[in-house]
């Protein structure tokens, strides 16, 4: 059902009737119009379209409602009451729009004595008609007699206590604010409800489609930003439309035919390009209201709704340091998961631990010789690493150590309970320690898996299928898959002693995951050194006949160089995080006044330190190696983590100190300065950044955006002050800065960071 209404007569009462009598509020679509020239009631069998503010709408809604509790014409004993209600409804309609409704309502309340302005389970139809008329006229006429009658005030409070009545207020106001977007032409692939720039792109697409005889979808996919920003906001290269005429002449001809409208204010030709300028005030009005309504959801979309993605990342090896390489996998993997979430995917985050293999046999015999229960419980990862280093040193001079380790691991694979029990203890204690570090990095995993969790049955079934497909052969006692014809060398799937290898377990793991999750995509966040391994894995799965292998993606990355602690060469992540926290804490103490205002300076120092590490890591493309720079990382100037956090904290400070509430109805037209327009333009681009990030999965695109936004915020704050400005100007600027804070905070969260409010 569509309810058409004029903006100066919002249909609060009618919507309240609908919500109180229907079971599905999503069936009602409100369409605000600039003008309605005639009384017009249109009803179709599927979706009735109703136009005209008046009592006929009340009667229509009451009669077609799924509940007859407001207007019962079927009960003979209620006929008299129904006639009286109709007379009163008619009197309300005939007195619009200049009646003193408070006086009329007071009279009816005093005279009715409960006959038809009843308070049973729901208000009566006339109650809602009166309430709707009052609320509608309050939008246009200053009504000052609301408190003249305690009877009227009490009545209004009772009416507005109903959740459906409040929902009606919210629905109509939200629809009126977004009146410019209710009649936007649809283009498949666009999403103007989540990305306000698509409102303007859709209109351009339809206009060009008319001229080119192409579909709006074809045009939409060819739109781009102008090469020279001064030329406009949206551009299209005519040759890309495959028009059989001189492109420059066509561009000029189409520009001459283009009729500006409230959305697209001008079009110009530049060679074979057509450039369009959008209405910045209209964009600002739509955008700031949209951000106010969506808040932390701003930028997200539902484009992949119903799809499931599995993201495997971090994957440290038990008993080895959680080092810089795992840090990259961890923060990049978390970013990939966040981007998938923001684009509507159901995302499952998996930590696939390195928890199986001969090294655990080595660790077990090492623990028997060098282990300490007390040290193990105190810091399992560090202690197991120390044990591992010592037993490896023994193995250098004693060849029997390796034999014992192999024998021990064989007993693990054979299911020896004593061996499995000790290994399980190591694994569980390590996971608990890992969780502390992940919590510090603002990361949660849905599943802790590992090589050890892959069932023997899956591995045996996979091995059998490899044989059935004639994909394996024996080589010097080992079992291999020869992939040389695919330029992928040879993959060993079973050692000479019969034990499995990493790739064997990866094959079994992939099969188990698909059977369990039926994923639409699976991402392996693994360093580029494993490029060959992942290519071999995917090729083997393809040769085995699994058609879902094309859903498996390897997201690789380069190495970190020079990331050791300042005190030595160890690369435990916890040590590095502690040192960054200590360093940032020292920097913060240098400003005593601000330091005193921070409730938990150690936590803030930790977040700033982590932000410094992560932004430095994500500033360049994933595949590039980069040199870790301690000195540069902690700067509050330039493109660093602390700089972005400082920009966010400044925006929070403005809201905290200005003494004004956020007013979504602020006069946006007062934001006409160059710095304001640049800031609004940058904010509007965020949904595009989120969508683009899904295709590239490059954190640097979001880092670059956050940096640009921070720089533009800083420039605006130099001249566009909130405090000291006239009230209406201050409210408009505050709303703009608040929207900037929401957007910058959302981009930080997308990167996996906690936005700081004070620092």
């Amino acid at each position: 059902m569509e309810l058409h209404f004029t903006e100066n007569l919002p249909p609060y009462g009618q919507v309240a009737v609908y919500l109180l009598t229907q079971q599905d509020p999503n069936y009602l679509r409100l369409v605000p119009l600039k003008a309605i020239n005639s009384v017009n009631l249109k009803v179709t069998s599927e979706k009735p379209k109703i136009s005209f503010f008046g009592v006929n709408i009340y009667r229509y809604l009451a009669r077609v409602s799924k509940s007859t509790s407001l207007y019962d014409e079927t009960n003979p004993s209620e006929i008299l009451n129904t006639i009286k209600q109709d007379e009163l409804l008619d009197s309300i309609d005939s007195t619009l729009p200049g009646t003193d409704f408070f006086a009329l309502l007071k009279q009816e309340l005093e005279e009715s004595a409960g006959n038809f302005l009843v308070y049973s389970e729901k208000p009566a139809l006339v109650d809602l008609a009166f309430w709707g008329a009052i609320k509608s006229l309050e939008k246009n006429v200053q009504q000052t007699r609301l408190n003249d009658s305690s009877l009227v005030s009490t009545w209004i409070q009772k009416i507005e206590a109903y959740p459906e009545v409040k929902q009606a207020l919210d629905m109509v106001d939200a629809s009126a604010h977004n009146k410019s977007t209710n009649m936007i032409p649809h283009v498949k692939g666009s999403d103007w409800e989540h990305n306000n720039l698509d409102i303007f792109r859709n209109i351009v697409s339809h206009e060009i489609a008319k001229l080119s005889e192409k579909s709006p979808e074809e045009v939409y996919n060819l739109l781009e930003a102008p090469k020279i920003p001064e030329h406009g906001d949206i551009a299209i290269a005519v040759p890309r439309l495959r028009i059989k005429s001189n492109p420059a002449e066509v561009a000029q001809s189409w520009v001459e035919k283009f009729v500006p409208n409230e959305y697209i204010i001008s079009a110009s030709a530049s060679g074979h390009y057509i450039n369009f300028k959008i209405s910045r005030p209209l964009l600002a009005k739509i955008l700031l209201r949209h951000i106010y309504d969506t808040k932390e959801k701003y930028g997200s979309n539902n484009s992949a709704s119903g799809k499931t993605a599995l993201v495997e990342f971090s994957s440290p090896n038990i008993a080895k340091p959680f080092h810089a390489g795992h840090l990259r996998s961890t923060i990049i993997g978390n970013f990939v998961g966040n981007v998938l979430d923001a684009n509507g995917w159901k995302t499952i985050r998996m930590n696939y631990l390195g928890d199986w293999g001969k090294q655990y046999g080595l660790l077990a015999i090492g623990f028997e010789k060098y282990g300490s229960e007390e040290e193990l419980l105190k810091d399992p990862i560090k202690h197991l690493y120390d044990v591992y280093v010592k037993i490896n040193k023994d193995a250098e001079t004693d060849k029997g150590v390796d034999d014992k380790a192999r024998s021990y691991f064989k007993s693990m694979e054979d299911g020896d309970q004593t061996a499995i029990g000790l290994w399980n203890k190591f694994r569980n204690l390590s996971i608990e320690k890992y969780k502390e570090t992940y919590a510090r990095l603002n990361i949660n995993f849905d599943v802790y898996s590992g090589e050890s969790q892959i069932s023997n049955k899956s591995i045996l079934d996979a091995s059998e299928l490899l044989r059935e497909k004639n994909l394996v052969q024996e080589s010097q006692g080992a079992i291999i898959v020869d992939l040389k014809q695919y330029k992928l060398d040879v993959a060993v799937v079973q050692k000479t002693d019969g034990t499995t290898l990493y790739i064997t377990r990866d094959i079994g793991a992939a099969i188990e995951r698909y059977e369990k999750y039926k994923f639409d995509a699976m991402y392996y966040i693994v360093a580029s050194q494993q490029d060959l391994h992942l290519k071999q894995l995917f090729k083997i799965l393809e040769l085995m006949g699994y058609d879902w292998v094309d859903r498996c993606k390897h997201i690789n990355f380069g190495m970190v160089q020079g990331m050791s602690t300042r005190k030595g060469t160890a690369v435990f992540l916890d040590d590095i995080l502690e040192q960054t926290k200590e360093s940032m804490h020292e920097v913060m103490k240098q400003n005593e006044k601000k330091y005193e205002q921070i409730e938990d300076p150690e936590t803030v120092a930790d977040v700033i330190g982590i932000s410094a590490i992560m932004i430095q890591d994500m500033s360049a493309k994933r595949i590039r190696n980069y040199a870790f720079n301690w000195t540069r990382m902690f700067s509050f100037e330039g493109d660093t983590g602390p700089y972005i956090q400082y920009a966010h904290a400044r925006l929070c400070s403005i809201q905290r100190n200005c003494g004004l509430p956020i007013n979504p109805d602020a006069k946006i037209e007062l934001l006409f300065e160059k710095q304001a327009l640049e800031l609004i333009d940058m904010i509007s681009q965020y949904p595009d950044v989120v969508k683009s990030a899904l295709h590239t999965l490059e954190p640097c695109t979001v880092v670059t955006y956050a940096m640009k936004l921070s720089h533009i915020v800083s420039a605006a704050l130099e001249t566009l002050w909130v405090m000291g400005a006239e009230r209406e100007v201050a409210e408009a600027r505050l709303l703009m800065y608040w929207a900037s804070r929401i957007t910058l905070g959302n981009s930080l969260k997308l990167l996996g960071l906690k936005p700081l409010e004070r620092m």
Side-chain angles (χ1 to χ4, degrees):
M1 178 182 292
E2 291 185 355
L3 178 60
H4 295 192
F5 66 95
T6 55
E7 188 181 3
N8 65 331
L9 288 176
Y12 297 114
Q14 291 94 327
V15 175
V17 170
Y18 180 88
L19 294 175
L20 280 159
T21 58
Q22 306 294 320
Q23 296 176 3
D24 183 9
N26 295 321
Y27 187 51
L28 180 66
R29 180 172 183 260
L30 302 177
V31 183
L33 304 173
K34 285 187 172 180
I36 298 176
N37 297 321
S38 62
V39 175
N40 183 17
L41 178 63
K42 297 179 182 177
V43 179
T44 62
S45 58
E46 260 188 66
K47 290 192 174 183
K49 291 187 177 181
I50 309 168
S51 302
F52 174 56
F53 181 90
V55 297
N56 57 340
I57 305 303
Y58 285 110
R59 294 180 183 180
Y60 173 78
L61 290 173
R63 287 170 180 146
V64 300
S65 69
K66 297 174 184 176
S67 163
T68 57
S69 61
L70 294 188
Y71 197 71
D72 192 347
E73 294 178 309
T74 61
N75 187 346
S77 65
E78 295 294 323
I79 291 177
L80 183 60
N81 189 36
T82 297
I83 294 171
K84 289 181 179 179
Q85 287 193 54
D86 284 349
E87 290 174 351
L88 185 53
L89 288 168
D90 287 339
S91 70
I92 295 171
D93 180 50
S94 65
T95 53
L96 286 174
T99 303
D100 183 348
F101 274 100
F102 294 111
L104 180 61
L105 175 61
K106 183 180 178 182
Q107 176 186 337
E108 293 298 334
L109 286 171
E110 290 173 345
E111 292 179 358
S112 67
N115 285 338
F116 44 85
L117 289 177
V118 293
Y119 293 103
S120 53
E121 291 185 4
K122 293 179 182 178
L125 196 63
V126 285
D127 287 302
L128 296 173
F130 259 121
W131 173 80
I134 288 170
K135 285 297 178 182
S136 294
L137 291 179
E138 278 181 344
K139 290 291 178 180
N140 302 287
V141 181
Q142 291 297 321
Q143 297 278 0
T144 58
R145 284 163 285 179
L146 180 60
N147 295 320
D148 285 357
S149 167
S150 59
L151 184 61
V152 172
S153 298
T154 302
W155 175 86
I156 288 179
Q157 289 174 7
K158 286 183 177 180
I159 293 288
E160 294 186 346
Y162 290 95
E164 293 89 348
V165 172
K166 183 171 187 316
Q167 187 181 358
L169 272 171
D170 292 341
M171 282 180 65
V172 176
D173 285 343
S175 182
H177 280 297
N178 290 310
K179 69 179 190 303
S180 296
T181 65
N182 276 285
M183 305 303 288
I184 299 302
H186 178 66
V187 177
K188 186 177 179 181
S190 70
D191 185 12
W192 62 261
E193 291 185 345
H194 295 96
N195 186 342
N196 294 154
L197 288 177
D198 272 348
I199 294 171
F200 302 88
R201 294 178 184 134
N202 283 14
I203 291 170
V204 168
S205 298
H206 273 263
E207 291 300 317
I208 294 294
K210 293 174 189 174
L211 295 167
S212 64
E213 297 184 357
K214 303 290 182 180
S215 72
E217 287 73 23
E218 288 177 277
V219 178
Y220 175 85
N221 291 323
L222 298 177
L223 298 180
E224 58 186 280
K227 305 296 182 186
I228 302 173
E230 288 74 19
H231 285 178
D233 305 292
I234 301 170
I236 188 166
V238 173
R240 298 186 68 190
L241 289 165
R242 302 184 184 278
I243 303 296
K244 294 180 180 179
S245 299
N246 183 295
E249 292 177 1
V250 170
Q252 186 60 47
S253 171
W254 288 355
V255 165
E256 291 171 1
K257 294 177 182 176
F258 176 76
V259 179
N261 53 60
E262 64 177 310
Y263 302 94
I264 309 299
I265 59 175
S266 70
S268 62
S270 177
H272 60 256
Y273 277 93
I274 302 177
N275 300 296
F276 300 89
K277 286 188 176 180
I278 69 176
S279 169
R280 293 307 179 100
L282 183 56
L283 170 64
K285 183 177 181 180
I286 295 169
L287 176 70
L288 295 183
R289 183 70 201 199
H290 174 61
I291 296 174
Y292 182 81
D293 291 337
T294 55
K295 298 180 177 63
E296 281 70 25
K297 294 287 186 182
Y298 174 59
S300 299
N301 62 72
N302 299 321
S303 59
S305 180
K307 292 186 177 181
T308 298
L310 191 63
V311 185
E312 177 203 303
F313 64 102
S314 194
S315 306
N317 297 306
I318 290 174
K320 291 185 179 179
F322 190 146
H323 57 70
H326 297 124
L327 172 66
R328 294 216 78 193
S329 173
T330 302
I331 61 180
I332 292 171
N334 190 49
F335 169 78
V336 170
N338 292 343
V339 168
L340 290 165
D341 288 341
N343 284 279
W345 288 77
K346 175 188 176 184
T347 309
I348 300 165
R349 291 163 169 81
M350 174 179 284
N351 198 335
Y352 187 66
L353 300 170
D355 62 356
W356 203 245
K358 189 200 79 173
Q359 67 266 35
Y360 296 101
L362 195 62
L363 183 63
I365 61 174
F367 189 77
E368 186 179 338
K369 184 175 182 180
Y370 297 111
S372 160
E373 285 291 329
E374 183 181 348
E375 291 297 317
L376 179 66
L377 295 174
K378 183 178 175 183
D379 193 339
I381 296 173
K382 189 175 187 306
H383 182 58
L384 291 175
Y385 174 62
D386 291 340
V387 167
Y388 190 70
V389 169
K390 289 175 182 177
I391 197 65
N392 266 285
K393 193 171 183 180
D394 289 351
E396 291 174 7
T397 56
D398 183 356
K399 300 301 180 186
V401 171
D402 269 346
D403 293 334
K404 288 181 182 178
R406 268 190 286 270
S407 175
Y408 194 96
F409 177 60
K410 187 68 167 65
S411 68
M412 289 169 63
E413 286 211 309
D414 291 341
D416 180 88
Q417 291 305 304
T418 302
I420 291 294
L422 182 62
W423 162 83
N424 223 7
K425 184 176 183 179
F426 292 163
R427 185 180 190 275
N428 292 338
L429 287 170
S430 296
I431 287 175
E432 289 308 309
K433 182 64 177 177
Y434 286 140
K435 285 181 178 178
E436 294 177 13
T437 302
Y438 291 129
R440 198 170 173 181
L441 292 169
N442 200 28
I443 293 170
N444 289 301
F445 286 96
D446 300 295
V447 180
Y448 278 88
S449 183
E451 298 172 73
S452 65
Q453 304 303 294
I454 309 309
S455 70
N456 285 331
K457 183 180 184 304
S458 293
I459 295 172
L460 290 172
D461 288 349
S463 299
E464 184 60 33
L465 184 57
L466 285 169
R467 288 186 176 87
E468 287 178 12
K469 298 276 187 178
N470 294 318
L471 297 174
V472 293
Q473 59 191 65
E474 188 175 330
S475 176
Q476 298 179 351
I479 304 298
I480 67 166
V481 178
D482 189 346
L483 300 172
K484 290 176 184 174
Q485 62 178 312
Y486 307 105
K487 298 182 180 179
L488 295 176
D489 205 357
V490 170
V492 181
V493 294
Q494 184 177 300
K495 289 183 180 180
T496 54
D497 63 0
T499 55
T500 58
L501 285 94
Y502 199 79
I503 195 165
T504 324
R505 295 187 287 276
D506 271 356
I507 294 168
I511 296 168
E512 280 192 3
R513 290 174 190 177
Y514 185 75
E515 289 175 351
K516 182 173 182 179
Y517 299 108
K518 294 295 188 289
F519 54 76
D520 297 282
M522 177 163 64
Y523 296 89
Y524 293 84
I525 317 300
V526 184
S528 56
Q529 292 97 316
Q530 298 297 319
D531 282 357
L532 177 61
H533 172 83
L534 270 301
K535 287 177 181 177
Q536 288 179 335
L537 172 63
F538 297 164
K539 177 54 71 173
I540 291 171
L541 289 169
E542 178 190 331
L543 295 172
M544 292 173 74
Y546 294 109
D547 58 4
W548 45 260
V549 68
D550 60 351
R551 305 180 189 184
C552 301
K553 317 290 181 185
H554 175 203
I555 308 302
N556 59 6
F557 53 85
M559 295 298 294
V560 185
Q561 298 160 344
M563 191 175 186
S564 62
T565 66
R566 288 179 166 181
K567 299 174 183 177
T569 57
V571 287
F572 279 100
L573 179 61
D574 279 342
D575 292 339
I576 293 168
L577 295 182
E578 279 302 312
Q579 291 218 13
T580 56
K581 181 176 80 171
E582 291 170 13
S583 297
M584 289 313 308
H585 204 173
E586 291 302 316
V587 173
M588 289 164 57
K589 287 178 181 177
Q590 293 172 15
N591 189 327
E592 293 182 15
K593 186 177 179 181
K594 285 188 177 180
Y595 187 80
E596 291 173 357
Q597 296 174 352
I598 299 174
E599 292 182 8
D600 188 354
E602 285 218 2
T603 299
V604 171
D606 197 35
V607 172
I608 298 174
I610 290 169
S611 301
I613 292 173
M614 289 174 62
I615 293 298
Q616 182 170 194
D617 189 288
M618 296 195 226
S619 292
K621 289 202 170 182
R622 284 184 279 105
I623 199 61
R624 287 176 55 184
N625 299 334
Y626 78 92
F628 190 78
N629 186 327
W630 280 94
T631 305
R632 175 68 184 144
M633 185 175 67
F634 295 130
S635 174
F636 279 70
E637 301 294 330
D639 296 345
T640 64
Y643 176 78
I644 299 178
Q645 288 283 17
Y646 181 61
H648 186 270
R650 284 184 76 187
L651 291 168
C652 292
S653 176
I654 291 170
Q655 183 180 345
R656 193 166 51 242
N657 298 324
C658 72
L660 294 173
I662 304 300
N663 180 9
D665 299 319
K667 293 189 175 181
I668 306 303
E669 61 270 20
L670 298 176
L671 301 172
F672 57 83
E673 299 89 349
K674 179 175 180 289
Q675 298 92 328
L677 295 177
E678 286 180 353
L679 185 51
I680 290 167
D681 181 60
M682 182 57 65
I683 295 169
S684 72
Q685 295 174 31
Y686 182 62
D688 281 339
V689 172
V690 174
K691 191 174 180 181
S692 174
L694 180 64
H695 300 297
T696 66
L697 296 179
E698 288 283 1
C700 64
T701 60
V702 181
V703 171
T704 300
Y705 174 81
M707 289 295 177
K708 286 182 179 178
L709 178 56
S710 298
H711 287 306
I712 293 173
V713 163
S714 181
L717 289 173
E718 292 295 318
T719 54
L720 304 182
W721 299 349
V722 174
M723 295 181 70
E726 293 182 6
R727 172 85 184 209
E728 289 184 340
V729 173
E731 285 185 345
R733 290 176 180 175
L734 178 60
L735 180 61
M736 176 181 69
Y737 288 133
W738 176 85
S740 303
R741 193 264 296 173
I742 290 291
T743 307
L744 184 56
N746 288 356
S747 64
L748 286 169
K749 292 173 188 173
L750 192 64
L751 291 166
L753 294 169
K754 297 176 183 177
L756 288 170
E757 296 186 8
R758 290 181 187 267
M759 59 180 284

